[in-house]
Amino acid sequence: MSISKILTLSLLLAGLFAPLSAQEATPQYMIETHIIAIPADEGRNCQVVSDRGRYTLKENGGGISVFGEIQLLVCDAVTVGFEEGGLFDTLLWNGEEEPPEDCTLELLSSPKVSTLNGKKAAVMSGSALQYFMPGENGCFSLHNTAEENCPYDSPQLVFAFTPYEAEDESGLKIVELDIELELKALQGREQLQGVGLDVGPPIIGVRSAASKLRLTLDQWHLVSGLLATDADGGDGDFLLVLLRVRDARKLDLPQAPPVKRTIFKDHP
């Protein structure tokens, strides 16, 4: 083969595999949550006002499901809604930013997390427990589950989210969201020898569930009505998770750098 043919073939191959730089913004999502506890006896009388109408709150069997695009939560004399404005909406209690003093609904936490398309992120709400352990000379020492190297778990609710960009035939902006839930709740106490009080190390029960949901972007949803029973066998509390997913690229937030891809194109 002549030098000219080799050179021509080399140029053709170079054109076939010539890289073209392309900048593509990585989908990024802001996930906002409000976790509310309602005593079960009160919760069974609560009305959820959503895009699907009004219905009474019921236990969802311990799993995760979408109850609709929530607009209001009405529980006896308390109405929980949202005030739009700014970067994040404000949760309102009877139109005020603080719940009434005698309110039976308790806002446990309002965590927010930002994550990339296909990347898992988690939010957690929990509290520590105190307990006694026997020591030397018949004395007991007070401990806390938040201590370093503590062998006992604390009560906590953990939600892990993995969002995926999706399309809807109706033209609505949606997101597919993989949700994993883990609830660690106090079920009792270990009995301390010679002590009649229920002050021993905690016995923690664990419940978990997972689901894939399709949610409309920018809308608040009630995604769980999990019933957490009391350690003493009481009715326990409904744990409500109000959730909204937004396109973080449209918010005034620090953005992830664009993904630089190399595209190979046929030589003309």
Side-chain angles (χ1 to χ4, degrees):
M1 181 179 294
S2 66
I3 296 296
S4 60
K5 289 184 178 180
I6 293 176
L7 180 59
T8 302
L9 179 59
S10 299
L11 291 174
L12 287 174
L13 289 175
L16 179 63
F17 295 107
L20 300 177
S21 294
Q23 299 290 324
E24 181 177 327
T26 304
Q28 186 173 357
Y29 298 96
M30 170 61 68
I31 302 171
E32 306 168 57
T33 62
H34 295 292
I35 303 174
I36 299 175
I38 307 177
D41 55 345
E42 299 285 343
R44 290 189 176 93
N45 298 320
C46 287
Q47 297 288 313
V48 179
V49 182
S50 76
D51 62 316
R52 304 179 187 179
R54 180 186 290 258
Y55 57 90
T56 302
L57 179 66
K58 295 181 180 179
E59 181 186 2
N60 68 349
I64 303 172
S65 58
V66 180
F67 289 83
E69 297 176 11
I70 186 170
Q71 300 167 355
L72 293 173
L73 178 65
V74 182
C75 195
D76 291 334
V78 180
T79 299
V80 180
F82 304 95
E83 179 184 43
E84 297 182 2
L87 184 58
F88 302 110
D89 289 352
T90 302
L91 192 67
L92 298 180
W93 309 75
N94 291 342
E96 303 293 335
E97 294 188 13
E98 296 295 331
E101 292 184 1
D102 57 349
C103 183
T104 57
L105 285 70
E106 180 183 2
L107 178 63
L108 300 181
S109 65
S110 297
K112 305 176 181 68
V113 64
S114 178
T115 187
L116 296 173
N117 182 67
K119 299 296 184 181
K120 182 185 292 188
V123 296
M124 185 271 286
S125 174
S127 60
L129 292 174
Q130 292 183 330
Y131 61 96
F132 283 92
M133 290 291 289
E136 298 180 356
N137 302 323
C139 296
F140 289 84
S141 57
L142 181 64
H143 297 267
N144 192 302
T145 56
E147 295 174 351
E148 188 176 357
N149 298 324
C150 176
Y152 302 100
D153 286 333
S154 298
Q156 64 180 19
L157 176 65
V158 179
F159 269 93
F161 307 102
T162 308
Y164 296 95
E165 193 174 27
E167 297 181 356
D168 188 87
E169 295 179 356
S170 64
L172 293 176
K173 297 180 179 179
I174 65 170
V175 62
E176 289 189 350
L177 196 65
D178 286 351
I179 297 184
E180 301 171 24
L181 176 152
E182 183 180 72
L183 174 65
K184 295 182 179 180
L186 179 65
Q187 292 189 334
R189 297 273 186 168
E190 294 182 12
Q191 186 64 43
L192 296 178
Q193 186 175 1
V195 178
L197 300 177
D198 194 21
V199 294
I203 300 174
I204 301 294
V206 181
R207 297 170 63 183
S208 60
S211 183
K212 180 184 289 289
L213 309 177
R214 291 174 64 87
L215 305 178
T216 305
L217 284 175
D218 302 323
Q219 298 294 327
W220 284 102
H221 297 79
L222 173 60
V223 300
S224 180
L226 185 67
L227 181 62
T229 57
D230 288 339
D232 58 4
D235 289 338
D237 294 330
F238 282 109
L239 296 179
L240 306 183
V241 179
L242 310 182
L243 181 148
R244 178 172 68 169
V245 182
R246 305 175 74 183
D247 187 340
R249 295 170 295 183
K250 299 181 180 179
L251 304 177
D252 186 18
L253 296 170
Q255 300 295 307
V259 176
K260 185 176 182 180
R261 295 183 177 179
T262 299
I263 302 175
F264 294 102
K265 183 179 179 181
D266 289 342
H267 185 76

